[in-house]
Amino acid sequence: MNILDRILVEKTAAEHGWENVLESSSSAVLIGSARHQARMRVTAGQPPARWRVETPKGMLQQELSRSFPALALGDCCFDADDFDQLSSLLHRAAELAVSLPNQAAAVFVEKVKKEIEGIASFNTEIERLVRQRVGQATFRQALLDYWGGACAVTGIKLPEILRASHAKPWAVCANDEERLNVFNGLLLTANLDALFDKGMISFVGNGSLICSSRLEADQRSLLQLDSTLKLRWIAPAHDAFLSWHRDKVFVK
Protein backbone atom coordinates (compact mmCIF):
# COMPACT_ATOMS: atom_id res chain seq x y z
CA MET A 1 0.00 0.00 0.00
CA ASN A 2 1.20 3.49 -0.71
CA ILE A 3 1.24 6.15 2.00
CA LEU A 4 -2.07 7.69 0.90
CA ASP A 5 -3.87 4.35 1.05
CA ARG A 6 -2.47 3.68 4.50
CA ILE A 7 -3.61 7.08 5.76
CA LEU A 8 -7.10 6.46 4.39
CA VAL A 9 -7.26 3.01 6.01
CA GLU A 10 -6.10 4.41 9.35
CA LYS A 11 -8.67 7.22 9.20
CA THR A 12 -11.48 4.85 8.26
CA ALA A 13 -10.50 2.49 11.06
CA ALA A 14 -10.40 5.28 13.67
CA GLU A 15 -13.88 6.45 12.64
CA HIS A 16 -15.32 2.96 13.02
CA GLY A 17 -14.09 1.64 16.36
CA TRP A 18 -10.40 0.91 15.71
CA GLU A 19 -8.56 3.97 16.97
CA ASN A 20 -5.18 2.32 17.63
CA VAL A 21 -2.74 1.77 14.77
CA LEU A 22 -0.44 -0.98 16.02
CA GLU A 23 1.61 -1.34 12.84
CA SER A 24 1.63 0.50 9.53
CA SER A 25 3.82 -0.42 6.59
CA SER A 26 3.67 -0.81 2.84
CA SER A 27 2.43 -4.38 3.32
CA ALA A 28 -0.29 -3.96 5.98
CA VAL A 29 -2.02 -1.84 8.61
CA LEU A 30 -2.66 -3.60 11.93
CA ILE A 31 -5.41 -1.97 14.01
CA GLY A 32 -6.86 -2.39 17.50
CA SER A 33 -8.78 -0.53 20.17
CA ALA A 34 -8.64 0.25 23.87
CA ARG A 35 -12.25 -0.98 24.15
CA HIS A 36 -11.51 -4.62 23.30
CA GLN A 37 -8.68 -7.07 22.62
CA ALA A 38 -9.36 -7.89 18.97
CA ARG A 39 -6.90 -7.06 16.20
CA MET A 40 -7.55 -6.65 12.46
CA ARG A 41 -5.04 -6.59 9.62
CA VAL A 42 -5.83 -4.64 6.43
CA THR A 43 -3.81 -5.32 3.30
CA ALA A 44 -4.16 -4.58 -0.40
CA GLY A 45 -6.72 -6.89 -2.01
CA GLN A 46 -6.69 -8.87 -5.21
CA PRO A 47 -8.63 -7.01 -7.97
CA PRO A 48 -11.51 -6.31 -8.13
CA ALA A 49 -11.27 -6.11 -4.32
CA ARG A 50 -9.35 -3.09 -3.09
CA TRP A 51 -8.81 -4.29 0.47
CA ARG A 52 -8.41 -7.58 2.29
CA VAL A 53 -9.24 -7.67 5.99
CA GLU A 54 -7.93 -10.46 8.22
CA THR A 55 -9.83 -11.13 11.45
CA PRO A 56 -9.10 -13.24 14.54
CA LYS A 57 -10.24 -16.85 14.38
CA GLY A 58 -13.30 -17.88 16.34
CA MET A 59 -16.61 -16.28 17.17
CA LEU A 60 -15.80 -12.82 15.78
CA GLN A 61 -14.95 -14.28 12.38
CA GLN A 62 -18.04 -16.51 12.43
CA GLU A 63 -20.41 -13.66 13.30
CA LEU A 64 -18.78 -11.35 10.76
CA SER A 65 -19.21 -14.02 8.07
CA ARG A 66 -22.91 -14.17 8.90
CA SER A 67 -23.19 -10.38 8.61
CA PHE A 68 -21.19 -10.19 5.35
CA PRO A 69 -21.48 -13.52 3.52
CA ALA A 70 -20.70 -11.92 0.16
CA LEU A 71 -17.39 -10.54 1.45
CA ALA A 72 -16.23 -13.64 3.35
CA LEU A 73 -13.44 -15.66 1.77
CA GLY A 74 -12.76 -18.22 4.48
CA ASP A 75 -9.52 -18.47 6.45
CA CYS A 76 -10.65 -15.41 8.44
CA CYS A 77 -10.39 -13.11 5.41
CA PHE A 78 -12.86 -10.65 3.93
CA ASP A 79 -12.60 -8.62 0.73
CA ALA A 80 -13.85 -5.04 0.46
CA ASP A 81 -14.19 -3.42 -2.97
CA ASP A 82 -14.29 0.14 -1.70
CA PHE A 83 -14.21 2.31 1.42
CA ASP A 84 -17.94 1.96 1.99
CA GLN A 85 -17.55 -1.80 2.32
CA LEU A 86 -14.42 -1.39 4.40
CA SER A 87 -16.21 1.05 6.72
CA SER A 88 -19.19 -1.28 7.16
CA LEU A 89 -16.94 -4.27 7.79
CA LEU A 90 -14.81 -2.50 10.40
CA HIS A 91 -17.83 -0.93 12.11
CA ARG A 92 -19.60 -4.27 12.52
CA ALA A 93 -16.37 -5.97 13.62
CA ALA A 94 -15.94 -3.34 16.36
CA GLU A 95 -19.53 -3.85 17.56
CA LEU A 96 -18.94 -7.58 17.79
CA ALA A 97 -15.53 -7.24 19.43
CA VAL A 98 -16.94 -5.24 22.36
CA SER A 99 -19.96 -7.51 22.85
CA LEU A 100 -18.89 -11.11 22.32
CA PRO A 101 -17.89 -13.26 25.31
CA ASN A 102 -16.05 -12.68 27.42
CA GLN A 103 -15.49 -9.02 26.67
CA ALA A 104 -18.60 -7.83 28.55
CA ALA A 105 -17.47 -9.72 31.65
CA ALA A 106 -14.04 -8.09 31.48
CA VAL A 107 -15.61 -4.63 31.16
CA PHE A 108 -17.91 -5.41 34.09
CA VAL A 109 -15.05 -6.39 36.41
CA GLU A 110 -13.13 -3.21 35.63
CA LYS A 111 -16.15 -0.93 36.10
CA VAL A 112 -17.14 -2.53 39.40
CA LYS A 113 -13.58 -2.20 40.67
CA LYS A 114 -13.45 1.52 39.82
CA GLU A 115 -16.84 2.26 41.39
CA ILE A 116 -16.07 0.42 44.62
CA GLU A 117 -12.71 2.19 44.93
CA GLY A 118 -14.59 5.50 44.98
CA ILE A 119 -16.96 4.51 47.80
CA ALA A 120 -15.87 5.69 51.23
CA SER A 121 -18.27 3.57 53.30
CA PHE A 122 -18.30 0.08 51.80
CA ASN A 123 -20.17 -3.10 52.76
CA THR A 124 -21.42 -6.26 51.08
CA GLU A 125 -24.89 -4.83 50.37
CA ILE A 126 -23.38 -1.82 48.60
CA GLU A 127 -21.18 -4.17 46.59
CA ARG A 128 -24.23 -6.24 45.60
CA LEU A 129 -26.11 -3.15 44.44
CA VAL A 130 -23.10 -1.83 42.50
CA ARG A 131 -22.53 -5.18 40.81
CA GLN A 132 -26.18 -5.46 39.83
CA ARG A 133 -26.44 -1.92 38.47
CA VAL A 134 -23.15 -2.06 36.57
CA GLY A 135 -23.91 -5.57 35.34
CA GLN A 136 -27.28 -4.59 33.90
CA ALA A 137 -25.83 -1.54 32.16
CA THR A 138 -22.92 -3.57 30.77
CA PHE A 139 -25.22 -6.33 29.55
CA ARG A 140 -27.54 -3.84 27.85
CA GLN A 141 -24.63 -2.17 26.06
CA ALA A 142 -23.30 -5.55 24.93
CA LEU A 143 -26.69 -6.41 23.44
CA LEU A 144 -26.97 -3.01 21.77
CA ASP A 145 -23.57 -3.60 20.18
CA TYR A 146 -24.26 -7.19 19.15
CA TRP A 147 -27.68 -6.48 17.63
CA GLY A 148 -26.53 -3.26 15.96
CA GLY A 149 -28.79 -1.11 18.16
CA ALA A 150 -31.97 -2.72 16.77
CA CYS A 151 -34.60 -5.07 18.18
CA ALA A 152 -33.63 -8.71 17.64
CA VAL A 153 -37.06 -9.40 16.14
CA THR A 154 -38.54 -6.25 14.60
CA GLY A 155 -35.35 -4.39 13.69
CA ILE A 156 -36.67 -1.21 15.32
CA LYS A 157 -33.80 1.18 16.14
CA LEU A 158 -35.17 3.22 19.02
CA PRO A 159 -33.00 2.75 22.13
CA GLU A 160 -35.60 4.32 24.42
CA ILE A 161 -37.96 1.37 23.95
CA LEU A 162 -35.41 -1.43 23.71
CA ARG A 163 -34.78 -3.73 26.67
CA ALA A 164 -32.00 -6.19 27.47
CA SER A 165 -33.82 -9.49 28.06
CA HIS A 166 -32.11 -12.41 29.76
CA ALA A 167 -33.02 -15.90 28.57
CA LYS A 168 -31.57 -17.39 31.76
CA PRO A 169 -32.26 -14.80 34.48
CA TRP A 170 -29.50 -12.96 36.32
CA ALA A 171 -30.43 -14.51 39.68
CA VAL A 172 -30.07 -18.14 38.55
CA CYS A 173 -26.90 -17.80 36.46
CA ALA A 174 -23.89 -19.68 37.79
CA ASN A 175 -21.43 -16.78 37.48
CA ASP A 176 -20.87 -13.32 36.00
CA GLU A 177 -19.60 -14.75 32.72
CA GLU A 178 -22.94 -16.47 32.21
CA ARG A 179 -24.93 -13.43 33.35
CA LEU A 180 -23.10 -11.15 30.94
CA ASN A 181 -22.86 -13.55 28.02
CA VAL A 182 -24.33 -11.71 25.05
CA PHE A 183 -25.90 -14.98 23.86
CA ASN A 184 -27.84 -15.25 27.14
CA GLY A 185 -30.11 -12.45 26.04
CA LEU A 186 -32.00 -10.65 23.34
CA LEU A 187 -32.49 -6.97 22.60
CA LEU A 188 -36.27 -6.57 22.42
CA THR A 189 -38.90 -3.85 22.27
CA ALA A 190 -40.59 -3.29 25.63
CA ASN A 191 -43.70 -5.33 24.77
CA LEU A 192 -41.71 -8.33 23.51
CA ASP A 193 -39.37 -8.05 26.51
CA ALA A 194 -42.32 -8.26 28.94
CA LEU A 195 -43.75 -11.27 27.12
CA PHE A 196 -40.36 -13.02 26.96
CA ASP A 197 -39.65 -12.30 30.63
CA LYS A 198 -42.99 -13.78 31.75
CA GLY A 199 -42.71 -16.82 29.49
CA MET A 200 -45.56 -15.83 27.20
CA ILE A 201 -43.27 -16.13 24.18
CA SER A 202 -40.02 -17.89 23.40
CA PHE A 203 -37.97 -18.86 20.34
CA VAL A 204 -37.17 -22.23 18.79
CA GLY A 205 -33.97 -23.41 17.16
CA ASN A 206 -34.45 -21.61 13.85
CA GLY A 207 -35.34 -18.35 15.63
CA SER A 208 -39.10 -18.53 15.07
CA LEU A 209 -41.30 -17.05 17.78
CA ILE A 210 -43.63 -19.38 19.69
CA CYS A 211 -46.53 -18.29 21.88
CA SER A 212 -47.80 -19.70 25.14
CA SER A 213 -51.15 -21.50 25.07
CA ARG A 214 -52.29 -18.88 27.57
CA LEU A 215 -52.31 -16.31 24.78
CA GLU A 216 -55.56 -16.73 22.95
CA ALA A 217 -55.94 -15.93 19.26
CA ASP A 218 -57.51 -12.51 19.86
CA GLN A 219 -54.75 -11.59 22.32
CA ARG A 220 -52.04 -12.67 19.85
CA SER A 221 -53.75 -10.57 17.19
CA LEU A 222 -53.92 -7.49 19.42
CA LEU A 223 -50.25 -7.96 20.30
CA GLN A 224 -49.41 -8.49 16.60
CA LEU A 225 -47.77 -11.83 17.35
CA ASP A 226 -48.11 -13.57 14.02
CA SER A 227 -46.39 -16.73 12.81
CA THR A 228 -43.91 -14.81 10.65
CA LEU A 229 -42.10 -13.20 13.58
CA LYS A 230 -38.62 -14.56 14.21
CA LEU A 231 -35.18 -13.49 15.36
CA ARG A 232 -33.31 -11.55 12.69
CA TRP A 233 -30.54 -14.12 13.09
CA ILE A 234 -29.55 -16.79 15.56
CA ALA A 235 -26.08 -18.11 16.40
CA PRO A 236 -25.26 -21.62 17.68
CA ALA A 237 -24.22 -20.06 21.00
CA HIS A 238 -27.84 -18.95 21.55
CA ASP A 239 -29.11 -22.53 21.57
CA ALA A 240 -28.33 -23.54 25.16
CA PHE A 241 -29.78 -20.36 26.64
CA LEU A 242 -32.95 -20.38 24.53
CA SER A 243 -33.43 -24.07 25.31
CA TRP A 244 -33.18 -23.22 29.02
CA HIS A 245 -35.78 -20.47 28.55
CA ARG A 246 -38.18 -22.84 26.76
CA ASP A 247 -37.78 -25.46 29.50
CA LYS A 248 -37.76 -23.28 32.59
CA VAL A 249 -39.55 -20.00 31.76
CA PHE A 250 -41.87 -20.56 28.80
CA VAL A 251 -45.45 -21.30 29.76
CA LYS A 252 -46.48 -24.06 27.39
Side-chain angles (χ1 to χ4, degrees):
M1 285 189 286
N2 61 44
I3 185 64
L4 178 58
D5 282 348
R6 283 156 53 194
I7 290 172
L8 289 172
V9 168
E10 292 168 14
K11 182 177 183 294
T12 302
E15 291 173 347
H16 294 281
W18 304 85
E19 76 280 4
N20 292 340
V21 177
L22 307 176
E23 294 178 15
S24 184
S25 68
S26 59
S27 59
V29 176
L30 180 65
I31 53 177
S33 172
R35 297 181 62 211
H36 53 75
Q37 298 180 358
R39 302 289 183 265
M40 304 276 274
R41 186 181 300 275
V42 183
T43 61
Q46 297 294 322
R50 185 171 181 183
W51 310 109
R52 178 155 296 178
V53 180
E54 299 174 30
T55 71
K57 290 183 179 180
M59 198 170 288
L60 175 59
Q61 179 265 329
Q62 294 165 13
E63 286 289 319
L64 208 57
S65 294
R66 181 195 50 72
S67 296
F68 298 95
L71 306 185
L73 301 175
D75 296 325
C76 301
C77 290
F78 296 80
D79 270 356
D81 294 343
D82 52 41
F83 274 102
D84 286 340
Q85 288 187 351
L86 181 64
S87 298
S88 298
L89 192 66
L90 294 180
H91 182 81
R92 182 60 181 150
E95 288 181 331
L96 292 169
V98 297
S99 63
L100 292 176
N102 291 316
Q103 184 62 31
V107 171
F108 167 73
V109 169
E110 188 62 28
K111 285 185 175 180
V112 168
K113 179 182 177 182
K114 287 182 178 178
E115 290 221 13
I116 288 177
E117 286 175 349
I119 297 174
S121 179
F122 173 75
N123 57 48
T124 54
E125 178 61 14
I126 289 175
E127 180 181 11
R128 184 188 70 80
L129 292 173
V130 168
R131 291 177 66 84
Q132 185 174 33
R133 175 174 54 78
V134 173
Q136 290 171 348
T138 303
F139 185 66
R140 172 179 165 77
Q141 186 57 55
L143 285 176
L144 283 165
D145 288 326
Y146 178 76
W147 289 100
C151 173
V153 175
T154 65
I156 290 173
K157 288 190 173 185
L158 190 59
E160 292 83 357
I161 66 167
L162 297 178
R163 304 289 182 267
S165 301
H166 273 91
K168 186 175 183 180
W170 179 280
V172 299
C173 287
N175 49 49
D176 290 336
E177 285 73 17
E178 192 173 49
R179 293 183 183 98
L180 296 165
N181 189 319
V182 74
F183 296 108
N184 182 20
L186 300 169
L187 189 68
L188 299 171
T189 53
N191 61 325
L192 292 177
D193 165 63
L195 291 164
F196 187 69
D197 183 61
K198 297 301 181 183
M200 294 294 101
I201 62 171
S202 192
F203 299 89
V204 294
N206 69 352
S208 294
L209 181 144
I210 54 174
C211 292
S212 167
S213 59
R214 289 188 56 191
L215 288 174
E216 298 180 358
D218 61 333
Q219 293 172 323
R220 294 197 300 271
S221 178
L222 288 169
L223 290 165
Q224 298 184 337
L225 300 176
D226 62 64
S227 59
T228 64
L229 289 178
K230 63 187 303 182
L231 296 173
R232 293 189 288 126
W233 67 75
I234 185 168
H238 283 114
D239 289 345
F241 292 110
L242 289 178
S243 178
W244 193 98
H245 185 270
R246 292 194 301 272
D247 291 342
K248 304 294 185 181
V249 180
F250 182 59
V251 180
K252 295 180 174 63

